[in-house]
Amino acid sequence: MDAVTAAFAACPRTGFLPRSQRRSASYDGPLSIGHGQTNSQPRTVEAMLRLLRVEPGQRVLDVGSGSGWSTALLAHLTGGSGEVLGVELEADLVRFGSDNLSATHQPWASIHQAEPGVLGLPDKAPYDRILVSAEPRSLPEELVEQLAVGGRMVIPVQGTMLLVVRQDDGVEVTRHGGYRFVPLR
């Protein structure tokens, strides 16, 4: 079993959904978690994680952590030698996601309240990997700047999944299919 498949097996979606949605956990589509946010389609999350190529021991930023599912999956991929910092704008979802995440017993992962007008957690940068589960109108330079050299970011921008790789002399951006996400605010 490869690492991404193992992460999905270790962190079932059911534990990251509101009770009213848990019977739909096997549905391969987005499910509402309140506040206009969703728990993303499993197939989409899998595709994003495969593009991200998280390795054990890496520092990872999870932007739009919502229910905590993506944060837990990332934590499984980094293992205890890594660190995963989730960031979420909605205070109720920070609590919901943090409670869900704590049930996975991965203390190297946490979810933080986003500051309005600030993307990511720039004071804790740089990150080896950044996963963004909300869609901005353009590639946010402030997130690119939080990537370490050699780092990878997966982010949906205007309906297209982008892989951004930071290099010494700039960034390389490749496109990987069409997707729909809630807006990044």
Side-chain angles (χ1 to χ4, degrees):
M1 179 180 311
D2 68 65
V4 171
T5 302
F8 272 79
C11 304
R13 186 185 197 197
T14 305
F16 298 89
L17 295 171
R19 291 204 183 280
S20 63
Q21 293 282 18
R22 289 184 177 175
R23 68 184 181 284
S24 301
S26 63
Y27 169 63
D28 190 26
L31 294 171
S32 175
I33 57 172
H35 304 279
Q37 307 298 318
T38 63
N39 178 283
S40 296
Q41 178 180 22
R43 186 172 13 145
T44 299
V45 175
E46 179 184 1
M48 293 173 79
L49 293 177
R50 292 192 185 284
L51 279 174
L52 203 56
R53 294 187 191 162
V54 176
E55 298 288 333
Q58 290 184 324
R59 292 188 77 241
V60 181
L61 176 65
D62 184 21
V63 178
S65 56
S67 69
W69 188 39
S70 56
T71 310
L73 292 166
L74 290 164
H76 189 271
L77 292 168
T78 67
S81 62
E83 181 182 25
V84 180
L85 301 174
V87 63
E88 172 58 51
L89 189 58
E90 294 291 337
D92 287 345
L93 291 180
V94 171
R95 286 188 291 279
F96 178 64
S98 294
D99 289 347
N100 295 336
L101 181 61
S102 70
T104 69
H105 306 290
Q106 299 179 107
W108 56 94
S110 56
I111 298 175
H112 304 265
Q113 177 73 50
E115 289 184 43
V118 176
L119 285 179
L121 294 170
D123 57 324
K124 298 187 184 300
Y127 303 99
D128 301 303
R129 300 290 187 265
I130 299 176
L131 179 68
V132 183
S133 297
E135 187 172 336
R137 293 179 189 188
S138 61
L139 182 61
E141 186 59 35
E142 55 266 52
L143 288 177
V144 174
E145 290 173 4
Q146 293 175 51
L147 265 180
V149 173
R152 297 167 72 91
M153 174 169 56
V154 174
I155 180 172
V157 176
Q158 289 190 355
T160 302
M161 192 65 67
L162 302 182
L163 170 62
V164 179
V165 179
R166 186 164 184 187
Q167 302 166 340
D168 286 324
D169 59 348
V171 295
E172 175 186 337
V173 178
T174 54
R175 289 165 173 69
H176 298 271
Y179 293 87
R180 290 179 45 172
F181 279 81
V182 297
L184 180 64
R185 297 180 278 141

